[in-house]
Structures are given as structure tokens and as C-alpha cells.
Amino acid sequence: MESQKKYQPTFSFELFPPKTETGMEKMKSTVRRLSTLNPRFFSVTYGAGGSTRDKTLDTVTWLRAQQLDTAPHISCIGSSREHIRELLERYQQEGIKRIVALRGDMPSGMGGGGDFRYANELVDFIRSVTGDHFHIEVAAYPEFHPQAPDAMADLVNFKRKIDAGANGAITQYFYNPDGYYRFVDSCEQLNLEIPIVPGIMPINNYTQLGRFSDACGAEIPRWIRRRLQGFADDIESIRAFGIDVVTELCQKLLDQGAPGLHFYTMNQSGPSQTIWKNLGLSAR
Ligand code: FAD
């Protein structure tokens, strides 16, 4: 973890582009609350194959109009070079300086194709088209990507993204900090000189968390699973327990030198805001 201590910690929030007007209004009020905490940036997800293109653009434009630092995600699978080039131009015009570059997962029913196979190719393309304009973040997987043949292959593939020009990484969420420490140590051994910011998923809803975790390969430790199951429909207890567990996780990570935290807000302000305040981040 030593190499991570030299970076200025970055605290940020992730949003998804709402599909409806009501969802948009809810997201706006979430952003208004969270922006009082002075995060470094808000990131906005992007559905693979361009499935949320317009909604992502609308959300990014609104955030920029609020003078907030915004980091759009771009997922490249199923997209053409031309399509990505247009997006990059649009983001440059909007004054965007940071991008989260991903492969993405094709939604079921949408065909494959496109000019990119992996995120390292997207990073390479962004650098070739826009030089050093963007600060590029990529995804990291302390518990390893579910499609990776083995841990070492995944680390080597992660290195390809850094070699292509990524400046930093945000991890998939996890609840076991040891996996993150070990991942960062392996990156140090590969001489990867970038901040690797833990992605933090607050716990609000057991069923939803279980579904996400199965899909993305994030492990919910048995003791957390069993406690959450025990609360059944008692939402208040789930939230209180979740805040406690996730605050403790974040504190451990920061104490060990993690270079910031990136909260998967799910467009809700409450849990991220409480954890942020518990950690005293506003005062930093
Ligand atoms: P890659 O880095 O390309 O890796 C994908 C798999 O391919 C891995 O198993 C890797 O080991 C392997 N691999 C990589 N490069 C090579 C290579 N050159 N040769 C052979 N194998 C290779 N998804 C979205 O659709 N939209 C989003 O906005 C979004 N935001 C995210 C934000 C974060 C912080 C994270 C952690 C994930 C996000 N995702 C998003 C999910 C992500 O798109 C999926 O996890 C996807 O399956 C992998 O994307 P990646 O960029 O990590 O892919």
C-alpha cells in the first residue's frame, strides 16, 4: 500500500443517467445535497453499446451547467471509432477534463460488433485522438473480473490499460479490504504508478445488492449476508447496519493509505452523505 500514500486523496460520487423525468428530478436533488460536501467530481455511467447515450449526455450537460466537475463514463463495446470520436469532441466542448474509460457489458439482446474489444483499446484511442486533454480513469477489480481466466491474467490486462495511458483507477466495490491491499501490492510489484481508488457501495437493499454482486463478481462476506438476511424487510435496520459496516470499511481503507473513495450512490444521497460525514471527510 506504500505507493498509494503519495497521492492526494480524491473523493467522488457516481450517478446513473435517469430514464424518466421523475428520476431526473430525484437525481438533481441528490446532486444538490451531495455537492455541498465538495466532492472532487461526479461521474455518470454510460450503457454499453450507447444504450444510455442521450441520457448520459443530458445528465453531464446539466452537471456542467451547475459548475460541477464531471467525469462521464464511456463504455466502448459495440461502438464505432467515429461514435467515440464524436463523444470525445462533445465532451471537450463541454469543458470536461476527466473520463472513466470502460469496455462495458453488452445488454442482452443487443448485438456485439463495434471497433473495440477491450478497455485498453479505448484508452489508446482516446490518447491518440485527444492527446493529454483528458485525465483517464479505468476500472480495477481487487476480487478479479468475472471473465478473467485467472488473477495474474487480469492483473496483466489491467496493466495494459495503464500502459495505454490511464492516469488512475477506480475499483469495483468490495467488502473485504484485504483483497484490495493485496491487489494494490501486486500493482506495485508490476511498477504501476497510479492511484487506485476504492469504489464504495453503500448497503441499502439486500436483494438488489445480492443481484448486483452476483453479476459483477463482488463478494458479500457470509457474515454480512447472514446479518442482512436476518433483518428481512426491516429497512431501517438494514440501513443502520450498512452505514456501520461501510463506514468501518472506508475508515480502514483510508487508515491504510487508500487515495480517496468513489461512492456508488445509486442516485441516493442519504447513505453516501452519512458515511462521508461519519468519516469527517467534509472537514478535510
Ligand atoms: P476490460 O479492462 O477490457 O476487461 C474486461 C475483461 O477482459 C477482463 O476479464 C480482462 O481480464 C480481459 N481483458 C482486458 N483486456 C484484455 C486484452 N487486451 N486481451 C485479453 N483479455 C483482456 N459498465 C458500463 O456499461 N457502463 C459504465 O458506466 C460502467 N462503469 C463502471 C465503473 C467502474 C468504476 C467499474 C469498476 C465498472 C464499471 N462498469 C460499467 C462495468 C464494466 O464495464 C464491466 O465490469 C465490464 O465487464 C468490464 O469493463 P472493463 O473496462 O473493466 O474491461
Side-chain angles (χ1 to χ4, degrees):
M1 285 293 294
E2 269 319 295
S3 68
Q4 295 295 306
K5 294 181 182 160
K6 65 175 180 258
Y7 302 111
Q8 178 72 22
T10 297
F11 299 96
S12 51
F13 293 119
E14 182 168 309
L15 306 164
F16 64 83
K19 289 197 180 105
T20 61
E21 267 309 304
T22 318
M24 193 70 177
E25 286 314 308
K26 186 180 165 213
M27 188 215 68
K28 287 179 179 175
S29 66
T30 291
V31 170
R32 286 190 192 102
R33 277 188 221 110
L34 293 179
S35 58
T36 62
L37 302 174
N38 277 330
R40 183 72 177 277
F41 62 89
F42 285 90
S43 84
V44 185
T45 63
Y46 185 88
S51 54
T52 67
R53 187 178 192 272
D54 292 346
K55 303 278 183 219
T56 299
L57 281 169
D58 289 349
T59 307
V60 168
T61 304
W62 181 80
L63 287 163
R64 290 298 298 142
Q66 315 309 303
Q67 319 283 333
L68 294 167
D69 278 342
T70 309
H73 296 205
I74 299 183
S75 43
C76 61
I77 197 86
S79 287
S80 66
R81 283 195 183 80
E82 232 12 77
H83 178 102
I84 301 287
R85 192 193 299 273
E86 279 167 22
L87 261 184
L88 294 171
E89 270 170 20
R90 166 84 186 259
Y91 287 146
Q92 277 186 301
Q93 284 159 9
E94 298 256 6
I96 303 285
K97 288 287 178 57
R98 187 187 296 255
I99 280 205
V100 185
L102 304 139
R103 183 194 72 174
D105 294 308
M106 252 351 227
S108 57
M110 281 182 74
D115 290 335
F116 302 91
R117 290 168 310 161
Y118 298 108
N120 65 295
E121 296 169 6
L122 175 62
V123 175
D124 197 44
F125 182 71
I126 297 173
R127 285 283 174 247
S128 71
V129 174
T130 59
D132 286 338
H133 178 83
F134 292 109
H135 177 105
I136 304 178
E137 305 276 359
V138 290
Y141 301 86
E143 295 176 349
F144 303 104
H145 187 266
Q147 290 157 2
D150 58 62
M152 199 56 210
D154 209 27
L155 276 162
V156 168
N157 289 330
F158 179 61
K159 183 175 184 304
R160 290 179 205 267
K161 300 193 271 196
I162 315 310
D163 292 346
N167 304 98
I170 300 172
T171 75
Q172 184 57 276
Y173 67 86
F174 57 84
Y175 297 104
N176 176 0
D178 288 334
Y180 167 78
Y181 305 146
R182 188 56 79 139
F183 180 83
V184 167
D185 288 345
S186 300
C187 292
E188 261 171 41
Q189 283 157 15
L190 293 171
N191 297 316
L192 299 185
E193 296 257 335
I194 48 145
I196 302 174
V197 172
I200 302 298
M201 179 70 91
I203 300 173
N204 289 314
N205 175 319
Y206 175 56
T207 317
Q208 191 187 44
L209 184 69
R211 209 175 47 238
F212 279 163
S213 304
D214 290 346
C216 72
E219 188 178 70
I220 310 177
R222 179 181 162 83
W223 66 273
I224 296 184
R225 234 177 230 280
R226 298 291 287 160
R227 293 257 185 186
L228 290 173
Q229 282 164 348
F231 294 132
D233 293 333
D234 179 355
I235 303 290
E236 285 310 307
S237 298
I238 293 177
R239 293 212 173 132
F241 171 74
I243 296 280
D244 225 32
V245 168
V246 177
T247 301
E248 200 178 300
L249 169 71
C250 293
Q251 191 63 63
K252 278 187 192 156
L253 292 165
L254 294 174
D255 290 348
Q256 288 299 312
L261 300 167
H262 178 76
F263 289 88
Y264 296 106
T265 68
M266 310 302 289
N267 290 5
Q268 294 184 32
S269 58
S272 302
Q273 201 170 16
T274 308
I275 296 164
W276 184 289
K277 287 189 172 157
N278 287 348
L279 295 167
L281 297 181
S282 307
R284 283 175 192 224

